[in-house]
Amino acid sequence: MYTRKECVAMLLAGGQGSRLYALTQDMAKPAVPYGGKYKIIDFPLSNCVNSGIDTVGVLTQYQPLVLNDYIGNGQPWDLDKQYGGAHCLPPYQTALGAEWYKGTANAIYQNIAFVDRYNPEYVIILSGDHIYKMDYNQMLEFHKAKNADATIAVQNVPIEEASRMGIMIADDECNITDFEEKPAHPRSTLASMGIYIFTWKKLRQYLIDNENNPDEDKDFGKAIIPNMLNAGEKLVAYTFSGYWKDVGTLDALWDANMDILNPTIPIDLYDPDWKMYSRNPVLPPQYIGPEATVENSMVSEGCIIDGKLDNSVIFEGVTVEKGAVVTDSVIMTGSVVKAGAVVEYAIVGENSVIESGAHIGARPESCENRDDWGIAVIGHKVTVSEGQVVGAKQMIPDVKKK
Amino acid sequence: MSLNKKVLGIIFANMHEEVVPELTRERTMGSVLFGGRYRLIDFTLSNMANSGVDEVGIVTKSNYQSLLDHIGSGREWDMARKNGGLHLLPPFSNVTSGIYRGRLEALYGVSDFIKSSDAEYVIMSDCDVAATIDYNAVFEAHVKSGADITAVYASSNLTLESAAHSNVFGIDESGRVNNVMINPQISGECNVSLNIYVISKTLLMSMILDGAANGIYSFAKSILQARCGDYKIMGYKHEGYFSKITSVKTYYDANMALLCTENRKSLFNDEFPIYTKVLDNPPAKFDIGAKVKNSLIADGCIIEGTVENSILFRGARVGKGAVVRDSIIMQDTVIGKKCEISCVITDKAVNISDQKILGGSKNYPIYIGKKAQI
């Protein structure tokens, strides 16, 4: 029969990403486009493949249609396997009834049978919320070398950011001694990245115990990790110092896109040794017209650029007409910026149309009060009518108000 | 196929490779790079896929490593199938096949493959033409006209040189081919054959076996030309962009023609996508100081210099201060800083070091071979 898998990945991809508002109305956060041709989930998936992990359960719940379609049989990531590969795992009905995933831990609990099929020694828990390139295999080696029951990837963050994150307190040997969720007065700067490696046998038992205790949250951060700590299990912190960004807010998503254009920021998508895989569109090369100017930008297949682009990330099949100006912005797949329109400091979703003369977004220096400034956002399949002005921080459709 | 008749596709990957010996030194005609991200075979293979021809044999002869790499299992064309799908047919693959001299002999070499298909019709195509053609429409016309053979042609203004590598049809008012000229000494507006034919499998098999018995190997000479009056050969006119490669110069012009919007619209049409091998390149990156005008740029390119009227294939790099004009820069070519390149075709993975000046002319572009270091 087949050999067992050493390590199986479980990717939590059911999150709504509610703070991405207009962009996550009909898709889950991991399906949000990023970086000209990717979706956020391409990063953990590609990391898995590049780390030699070939069995990935993708746990979907919120608006799974886009994600299920995107993952398909996993072929774009080489995850179409006879044994293993990528599997979308939505909540399902059992003889005892049906229920939603009630939390991160419950989502894994409901899929114990999936993991058991591969009889793995270890399980790595990932989320589809972050942009980063990481060799999970090194983390696994660390877990083994430390003989740990759980290894939590952490990043050293500035102390002022620590109170917004889950903070690990660890000794010199990397042993985690305590854990605090969003502490007012952080005792450490090691923030959890939401990446966990567990020895499966241990985790399996903690998941069952957690499920059987109706008073507990069904969540890794709130229940499983504290429970393991209290029981004296060996938890270690694995420090990762590479680029890692939560793209949970519109500003952060915009920032992370701008990071690719910044040569001093180490998120190199062109590294042949750590390829980022994605589902590729079938489109011809992009055409840059005779009067176009394109500087410090990324542009994808199928685009037709006749206007001016500066410091922007342009997804596949976007048209920027003559006389249109796009600066410091992200324009997603299939959108059109018509002649004379201006888009600055903005995110434009998929298949939207910016009619001529419209003006989206504003430069930070144009706002008297810096707090009034923020990027402008146009959702998916929106038409911004001729001459319409969408100011800084505004959003169409304005789902915040609902 | 729309008429619920099964059609078998046969693609000749090596035919005409002698017209561009530089480009086919290490590859078949079908695997010659074209249009920024394609190989020539992608066009006819995508036409087949888009027209519902889902059983295809690719006849090859020699030099086919790059073709195998490119095609793989045929997945990108949705042709990795349990039933039908893609079949590579190299020479010496069975007792009847060897190095062939002409199309009929090549078909004889793969006659077992043709026989084993349950298709009623066969569509044959070479790889020297880039065009988006609805083969369904060709097929419908074939059935409707009751032709023995339907041959696709296009109206084109031929030079003496390109006519010498083309077949030209005379066509009467009813659309029937009444005259076939092979490599004629003519120039001007002609009905040039695109070497795409629809024929019933039964008739084709009898031609193949007849040819083998009588030592006849050329389909063009011994069937189309010699028996033009016996068989009902109907022409099917392709309108819109096409390019037929007959020399390095026509290859250059055909690529450059894609800078014209009308041609691009004809070749790249949403309903007839052109599939090709996926390379998982990131988007193209334009650096600060990049100046790009009137060019086709594929993904994975990193441009720091100036690019005008050029085609950059996937993964090409243009260094700071470099100027690339009127050139075709193939996959993974690196052009160093402050180079000046004009009217140049660089094959794959060429490396041009800093400050080099290379120039051809539009009627005689310079070709630089695969992996050359300059």
Side-chain angles (χ1 to χ4, degrees):
Chain A
M1 237 337 247
Y2 294 112
T3 51
R4 62 190 298 201
K5 299 280 181 190
E6 188 189 26
C7 183
V8 165
M10 296 297 271
L11 207 170
L12 298 159
Q16 181 183 351
S18 53
R19 287 173 303 150
L20 292 172
Y21 302 103
L23 298 178
T24 49
Q25 288 303 293
D26 45 19
M27 60 176 78
K29 180 175 169 188
V32 167
Y34 167 81
K37 72 176 283 193
Y38 306 100
K39 288 181 176 291
I40 299 171
I41 198 168
D42 286 327
F43 286 75
L45 280 178
S46 300
N47 286 340
C48 279
V49 176
N50 290 332
S51 308
I53 295 170
D54 67 3
T55 307
V56 186
V58 181
L59 300 128
T60 58
Q61 177 155 287
Y62 173 79
Q63 288 285 13
L65 184 64
V66 175
L67 210 48
N68 287 350
D69 204 36
Y70 188 71
I71 304 286
N73 66 350
Q75 184 273 322
W77 304 268
D78 248 351
L79 288 172
D80 51 333
K81 311 276 287 185
Q82 300 276 15
Y83 177 61
H87 298 260
C88 280
L89 303 170
Y92 55 91
Q93 195 174 21
T94 68
L96 300 172
E99 54 182 1
W100 296 111
Y101 294 150
K102 288 172 292 183
T104 50
N106 176 256
I108 308 296
Y109 170 84
Q110 290 201 37
N111 287 288
I112 285 178
F114 171 81
V115 182
D116 278 347
R117 256 207 310 207
Y118 301 100
N119 189 21
E121 192 77 26
Y122 309 102
V123 168
I124 182 164
I125 311 289
L126 305 167
S127 70
D129 296 346
H130 302 100
I131 303 296
Y132 64 110
K133 299 197 296 185
M134 178 172 173
D135 188 346
Y136 300 140
N137 206 28
Q138 283 183 14
M139 181 171 166
L140 183 60
E141 289 305 317
F142 184 83
H143 179 85
K144 287 193 250 178
K146 289 280 178 191
N147 206 8
D149 299 307
T151 300
I152 300 172
V154 295
Q155 204 167 49
N156 238 321
V157 296
I159 188 92
E160 59 273 18
E161 280 177 35
S163 24
R164 291 191 286 113
M165 310 181 94
I167 295 298
M168 302 290 154
I169 294 101
D171 64 18
D172 296 344
E173 303 282 296
C174 303
N175 292 308
I176 296 172
T177 53
D178 204 356
F179 165 77
E180 292 175 321
E181 188 68 48
K182 298 181 183 157
H185 305 285
R187 286 186 282 148
S188 138
T189 54
L190 298 177
S192 167
M193 298 165 64
I195 301 166
Y196 311 103
I197 290 178
F198 292 99
T199 301
W200 174 235
K201 247 191 241 159
K202 284 270 169 169
L203 176 64
R204 198 177 185 283
Q205 194 53 50
Y206 276 93
L207 288 173
I208 292 169
D209 294 346
N210 171 247
E211 186 65 20
N212 291 337
N213 186 344
D215 301 331
E216 276 183 356
D217 283 315
K218 307 294 180 249
D219 187 273
F220 279 98
K222 287 181 191 140
I224 303 291
I225 302 296
N227 289 354
M228 288 183 85
L229 265 178
N230 293 338
E233 305 286 4
K234 187 172 168 75
L235 276 73
V236 296
Y238 173 78
T239 308
F240 176 73
S241 51
Y243 180 89
W244 175 76
K245 190 140 195 162
D246 185 342
V247 286
T249 65
L250 291 165
D251 283 346
L253 180 65
W254 180 83
D255 267 344
N257 275 286
M258 293 301 124
D259 283 349
I260 316 173
L261 301 174
N262 185 340
T264 63
I265 290 177
I267 177 76
D268 180 12
L269 300 178
Y270 296 81
D271 179 2
D273 295 330
W274 203 266
K275 257 192 172 186
M276 300 314 301
Y277 298 94
S278 65
R279 193 171 281 279
N280 282 260
V282 181
L283 286 170
Q286 54 184 287
Y287 174 71
I288 311 292
E291 286 163 57
T293 59
V294 183
E295 270 198 271
N296 199 35
S297 293
M298 272 175 64
V299 187
S300 300
E301 301 301 63
C303 287
I304 299 171
I305 311 294
D306 284 304
K308 182 175 187 297
L309 290 185
D310 192 12
N311 207 37
S312 294
V313 174
I314 311 294
F315 283 70
E316 304 114 357
V318 166
T319 302
V320 177
E321 290 186 359
K322 206 160 123 179
V325 178
V326 177
T327 49
D328 304 289
S329 293
V330 178
I331 314 259
M332 293 177 184
T333 305
S335 288
V336 180
V337 182
K338 297 224 170 144
V342 175
V343 180
E344 49 187 6
Y345 292 91
I347 296 177
V348 176
E350 295 181 343
N351 300 308
S352 287
V353 179
I354 313 299
E355 293 286 355
S356 2
H359 194 125
I360 316 292
R363 310 190 71 80
E365 54 273 24
S366 72
C367 294
E368 264 177 47
N369 187 346
R370 186 64 174 73
D371 292 338
D372 295 340
W373 184 83
I375 57 148
V377 176
I378 307 299
H380 308 301
K381 297 182 191 153
V382 172
T383 299
V384 177
S385 45
E386 222 168 290
Q388 193 177 344
V389 176
V390 180
K393 246 184 183 172
Q394 285 188 30
M395 187 174 352
I396 302 180
D398 196 352
V399 292
K400 263 186 199 175
K401 282 188 184 149
K402 275 178 195 165
Chain B
M1 280 267 174
S2 58
L3 299 176
N4 282 327
K5 305 268 188 194
K6 229 186 133 195
V7 179
L8 172 68
I10 305 265
I11 295 174
F12 297 89
N14 290 70
M15 292 270 178
H16 318 290
E17 57 194 9
E18 68 286 351
V19 302
V20 281
E22 300 93 331
L23 294 166
T24 56
R25 205 170 75 84
E26 292 184 47
R27 56 173 75 92
T28 65
M29 192 69 175
S31 36
V32 167
L33 291 84
F34 190 84
R37 55 183 280 127
Y38 302 101
R39 305 281 184 147
L40 282 171
I41 197 171
D42 292 342
F43 296 95
T44 189
L45 198 52
S46 298
N47 287 339
M48 288 187 181
N50 291 328
S51 307
V53 179
D54 53 13
E55 185 177 20
V56 176
I58 299 177
V59 181
T60 180
K61 187 178 193 172
S62 54
N63 234 343
Y64 48 80
Q65 178 61 52
S66 66
L67 185 73
L68 296 181
D69 275 354
H70 182 69
I71 299 294
S73 64
R75 188 177 55 215
E76 268 102 1
W77 297 266
D78 255 346
M79 286 199 194
R81 297 267 76 94
K82 287 197 169 176
N83 298 307
L86 203 68
H87 302 262
L88 275 145
L89 307 168
F92 307 108
S93 53
N94 73 22
V95 69
T96 61
S97 78
I99 294 297
Y100 52 81
R101 290 170 292 176
R103 193 182 306 272
L104 270 185
E105 209 164 59
L107 287 166
Y108 181 65
V110 299
S111 53
D112 279 353
F113 169 75
I114 301 174
K115 259 186 276 176
S116 70
S117 163
D118 57 2
E120 224 174 301
Y121 293 90
V122 177
I123 184 160
M124 299 189 280
S125 170
D126 297 345
C127 293
D128 61 333
V129 171
T132 293
I133 302 172
D134 180 358
Y135 290 169
N136 257 321
V138 182
F139 182 70
E140 273 172 42
H142 177 80
V143 173
K144 206 169 147 200
S145 68
D148 294 313
I149 301 169
T150 298
V152 181
Y153 70 95
S155 180
S156 175
N157 198 358
L158 291 184
T159 60
L160 263 180
E161 199 214 1
S162 56
H165 295 291
S166 302
N167 297 340
V168 170
F169 295 146
I171 292 181
D172 71 15
E173 319 75 74
S174 69
R176 183 166 173 176
V177 176
N178 58 15
N179 183 19
V180 176
M181 289 178 277
I182 293 172
N183 307 338
Q185 288 276 325
I186 53 169
S187 62
E189 203 66 23
C190 298
N191 297 318
V192 59
S193 165
L194 301 187
N195 295 323
I196 298 164
Y197 309 102
V198 175
I199 185 168
S200 81
K201 192 181 114 177
T202 325
L203 179 58
L204 182 66
M205 277 310 298
S206 79
M207 286 173 181
I208 293 168
L209 297 175
D210 217 37
N214 296 299
I216 292 168
Y217 53 83
S218 169
F219 183 76
K221 281 186 192 131
S222 309
I223 306 286
L224 295 181
Q225 189 173 50
R227 308 198 55 190
C228 187
D230 306 342
Y231 289 122
K232 185 178 179 186
I233 306 172
M234 295 298 288
Y236 177 93
K237 188 170 183 182
H238 166 67
E239 311 274 0
Y241 171 90
F242 80 96
S243 61
K244 183 172 155 57
I245 312 299
T246 57
S247 63
V248 171
K249 165 80 169 74
T250 54
Y251 171 81
Y252 175 81
D253 292 343
N255 275 283
M256 289 303 162
L258 295 178
L259 296 177
C260 163
T261 301
E262 198 185 319
N263 292 336
R264 274 200 320 279
K265 277 190 176 154
S266 168
L267 188 62
F268 305 122
N269 142 0
D270 289 348
E271 278 154 46
F272 276 77
I274 309 296
Y275 307 96
T276 190
K277 184 181 176 182
V278 164
L279 295 180
D280 289 295
N281 278 307
K285 188 170 179 184
F286 300 76
D287 235 309
I288 296 169
K291 287 195 186 73
V292 181
K293 309 266 181 213
N294 192 37
S295 294
L296 271 187
I297 312 287
D299 54 10
C301 288
I302 299 183
I303 302 170
E304 297 172 274
T306 299
V307 177
E308 281 176 21
N309 312 326
S310 295
I311 315 263
L312 266 59
F313 282 71
R314 294 186 275 189
R317 311 224 161 169
V318 177
K320 256 202 164 47
V323 179
V324 176
R325 284 200 179 93
D326 306 306
S327 294
I328 298 171
I329 307 297
M330 289 189 204
Q331 204 175 310
D332 297 330
T333 285
V334 177
I335 293 172
K337 290 176 191 141
K338 294 186 180 168
C339 284
E340 287 176 40
I341 311 286
S342 65
C343 301
V344 168
I345 301 172
T346 71
D347 207 311
K348 266 182 83 172
V350 167
N351 199 327
I352 301 177
S353 56
D354 295 353
Q355 296 180 316
K356 297 290 176 292
I357 299 176
L358 296 169
S361 90
K362 284 186 183 173
N363 65 359
Y364 200 96
I366 291 183
Y367 168 81
I368 298 169
K370 190 173 169 181
K371 292 187 183 161
Q373 304 277 331
I374 296 177

